[in-house]
Amino acid sequence: MKSWFVPCILIAWLLPASGDHCLNPPPVNYSIFIITGREERFVTYLCMRGYHLVGKKQLSCNKTSLEWDSPAPTCLLGHCPNPVLVNGQLNSSNLGPVSEEEVVTFKCDVGYILKGGNWSQCQKNHTWIPPIPTCITGQCKLPERPKHGHFKARDFNSGSVVVFHCDVGYQLIGAQSLQCMDGEWSGEPPICEEILKTTSEVPVETEKESCAFQERKNICESIQRLMQCQKEKRKTLKELKYSLEIKKLQLENIKAVMSTEIKERNF
């Protein structure tokens, strides 16, 4: 009791009493506390050697409520907090409270994988370095199914592989397969992107859709229909002239063939 009571008395005696400040903070076993500041008052708790602090180390005085912003911490036996490994075991040379520079080793239960270092040491600042590890299951979470696609997998245990596929008309962007490694996938799931049609895949216009010259009994009617179609399709006069010239050549070729056939019959 004396180890913390004397420092509290000395601090209270050194600070002026005032009605516009918080009352002296509650004492904590196996600790000393230091109050600093006049306008804004703070209190800092320090545990004695062989104890570690649990809670907030520094409290501040609220000017409105004249109360400390958090409850006082506690000082527990042991230089560092007792290491806890859920779903695992730890080995230590000391069965009592943790002492400074003490080293502990860790091992997970069957079916769990150690994530982190397999040992840790209690430091002078009451922390464990490296940090206390955790024991996790080797199974990965269900992977995200890509939109317009799917995946195939036997299971999601450590070492398993999942393969992704896209629906018809879509292509895979990213890794086609991922592997479960110590409870985590080896990468991000891919996406399925729509396959855009190339120019060669664009359907060719039919003769009717392209406003080709269609011969009829009345040649004037044929030309009028062609011009009307070209107008609806917003074709230029140059394009219209080109279409008529092509049809003219076709008619001349037909006429030449027919003339040759008539001469051969006469002979």
Side-chain angles (χ1 to χ4, degrees):
M1 192 74 176
K2 183 178 180 180
S3 60
W4 58 262
F5 184 70
V6 174
C8 293
I9 293 178
L10 292 176
I11 294 172
W13 178 73
L14 290 174
L15 293 173
S18 175
D20 58 353
H21 289 90
C22 294
L23 299 175
N24 289 332
V28 174
N29 291 335
Y30 310 108
S31 75
I32 62 174
F33 61 82
I34 302 173
I35 300 178
T36 58
R38 290 185 176 272
E39 296 299 327
E40 293 188 14
R41 187 169 293 186
F42 299 91
V43 58
T44 303
Y45 287 91
L46 300 174
C47 291
M48 299 179 63
R49 185 177 179 83
Y51 293 83
H52 64 276
L53 189 77
V54 176
K56 193 173 180 181
K57 181 178 180 180
Q58 187 179 70
L59 311 182
S60 62
C61 178
N62 189 310
K63 292 183 178 181
T64 303
S65 63
L66 300 181
E67 294 180 353
W68 298 102
D69 63 343
S70 296
T74 56
C75 290
L76 300 181
L77 188 62
H79 189 80
C80 287
N82 291 328
V84 177
L85 185 64
V86 180
N87 299 318
Q89 305 169 9
L90 55 93
N91 297 320
S92 175
S93 59
N94 186 7
L95 299 178
V98 178
S99 59
E100 185 179 336
E101 298 185 356
E102 183 177 348
V103 176
V104 294
T105 58
F106 306 96
K107 181 182 179 181
C108 291
D109 298 335
V110 178
Y112 292 86
I113 299 174
L114 190 70
K115 188 173 184 181
N118 64 348
W119 66 274
S120 188
Q121 185 179 41
C122 179
Q123 305 297 310
K124 292 182 179 180
N125 61 354
H126 308 283
T127 61
W128 288 99
I129 300 296
I132 305 298
T134 57
C135 291
I136 61 174
T137 60
Q139 192 176 56
C140 289
K141 294 182 180 179
L142 187 71
E144 182 179 355
R145 184 179 69 84
K147 189 176 182 181
H148 304 295
H150 60 281
F151 60 80
K152 295 181 179 179
R154 182 182 59 188
D155 53 49
F156 305 120
N157 296 327
S158 182
S160 297
V161 176
V162 58
V163 182
F164 296 87
H165 302 275
C166 291
D167 299 339
V168 178
Y170 292 85
Q171 60 183 351
L172 200 69
I173 304 298
Q176 185 176 13
S177 62
L178 298 177
Q179 186 176 22
C180 179
M181 304 173 62
D182 297 341
E184 295 181 357
W185 293 108
S186 57
E188 294 295 327
I191 61 174
C192 291
E193 188 178 78
E194 186 177 7
I195 301 175
L196 300 178
K197 293 182 179 180
T198 61
T199 305
S200 59
E201 294 174 327
V202 177
V204 181
E205 287 184 326
T206 63
E207 185 178 12
K208 183 177 181 180
E209 293 172 341
S210 60
C211 295
F213 181 85
Q214 299 178 20
E215 187 176 1
R216 291 176 173 81
K217 293 181 179 181
N218 190 331
I219 188 67
C220 293
E221 181 182 352
S222 299
I223 295 175
Q224 289 178 353
R225 287 181 176 274
L226 176 62
M227 294 181 66
Q228 179 64 27
C229 179
Q230 296 282 357
K231 184 178 180 181
E232 293 175 355
K233 293 286 185 178
R234 297 184 179 180
K235 300 288 185 179
T236 62
L237 291 176
K238 185 177 180 180
E239 292 173 321
L240 176 61
K241 180 180 178 183
Y242 176 78
S243 178
L244 291 173
E245 288 177 350
I246 294 297
K247 190 61 182 178
K248 179 181 178 182
L249 290 174
Q250 293 176 348
L251 293 175
E252 289 178 350
N253 289 335
I254 295 174
K255 182 179 179 181
V257 172
M258 293 178 64
S259 177
T260 301
E261 291 179 349
I262 293 174
K263 288 182 181 179
E264 289 178 350
R265 289 175 183 177
N266 292 333
F267 287 103

